[in-house]
Structure formats: structure tokens, C-alpha cells
């Protein structure tokens, strides 16, 4: 489903073609991720379209909360790793005095 710019290429049509290609790549990656989790992309899409606005808002809030929790866990794990690392450069060498 790749779109190709017309033979009369302008910066705007080139940007549009690049954007379309990016969207197609993103959609394909999303579908692949759903398949890797054992989900049917068409069914997931249908479920999302069947939600009322209130249900959609509730689902969006739940996803945002989950992502924030993941970000928090990652930040905590990174902090633990930094705290466990030895100081950079190790102990300093003794200096000779003249």
C-alpha cells in the first residue's frame, strides 16, 4: 500500500510521501506487535471502535497510568544500577612531592 509521489515532485509532496511511508511503517510495526502478543489486529481495531467515548477515555487513562508506572520502574532500576557502580576512575594514585 505504498504511495509514490507524482512525477512533479515538490517539497510538500515529498514531505507528504515521507509522512505516509512513516505512518505505514508505524502501522505495520503495531500490527506485528499485536501478533507477537497473540492478538488479532483486526479484532483489536474493532474493539477500539466499539468503545463509547467514556470507555475510550477510561482506557486511555489506564494506558497512561501503566506507562507512567513502567517509566517509574525503569528510573528506579537505573538509579539502583548507578548507585551500585563503582566510582569512575577508581582510587586516585598517590602523588609524589618534590
Amino acid at each position: 500500500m505504498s504511495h509514490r509521489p507524482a512525477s512533479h515532485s515538490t517539497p510538500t509532496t515529498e514531505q507528504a510521501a515521507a509522512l505516509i511511508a512513516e505512518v505505514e511503517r508505524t502501522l505495520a510495526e503495531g500490527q506485528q506487535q499485536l501478533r507477537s502478543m497473540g492478538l488479532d489486529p483486526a479484532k483489536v481495531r474493532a474493539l477500539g471502535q466499539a468503545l463509547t467515548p467514556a470507555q475510550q477515555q477510561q482506557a486511555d487513562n489506564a494506558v497512561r497510568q501503566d506507562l507512567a508506572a513502567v517509566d517509574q520502574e525503569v528510573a528506579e532500576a537505573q538509579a539502583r544500577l548507578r548507585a551500585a557502580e563503582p566510582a569512575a576512575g577508581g582510587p586516585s594514585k598517590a602523588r609524589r612531592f618534590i
Side-chain angles (χ1 to χ4, degrees):
M1 180 183 355
S2 188
H3 297 281
R4 295 190 177 171
S7 61
H8 303 294
S9 185
T10 66
T12 303
T13 56
E14 290 173 9
Q15 288 174 343
L19 183 58
I20 289 169
E22 176 72 21
V23 168
E24 289 175 344
R25 255 190 323 276
T26 302
L27 287 172
E29 289 171 3
Q31 290 181 357
Q32 184 58 37
Q33 287 178 340
L34 289 172
R35 283 189 202 97
S36 71
M37 293 185 288
L39 300 172
D40 180 357
K43 289 180 181 179
V44 171
R45 207 173 17 259
L47 176 63
Q49 292 172 348
L51 296 177
T52 66
Q55 291 171 326
Q56 182 64 42
Q57 182 65 35
Q58 186 178 11
D60 289 344
N61 289 339
V63 168
R64 273 193 288 280
Q65 288 173 354
D66 285 348
L67 291 175
V70 168
D71 288 342
Q72 179 66 31
E73 288 178 25
V74 168
E76 289 173 3
Q78 288 175 336
R80 282 192 297 276
L81 287 173
R82 279 191 301 272
E85 289 178 359
S92 60
K93 294 182 180 180
R95 295 185 184 178
R96 299 173 128 194
F97 290 99
I98 300 179

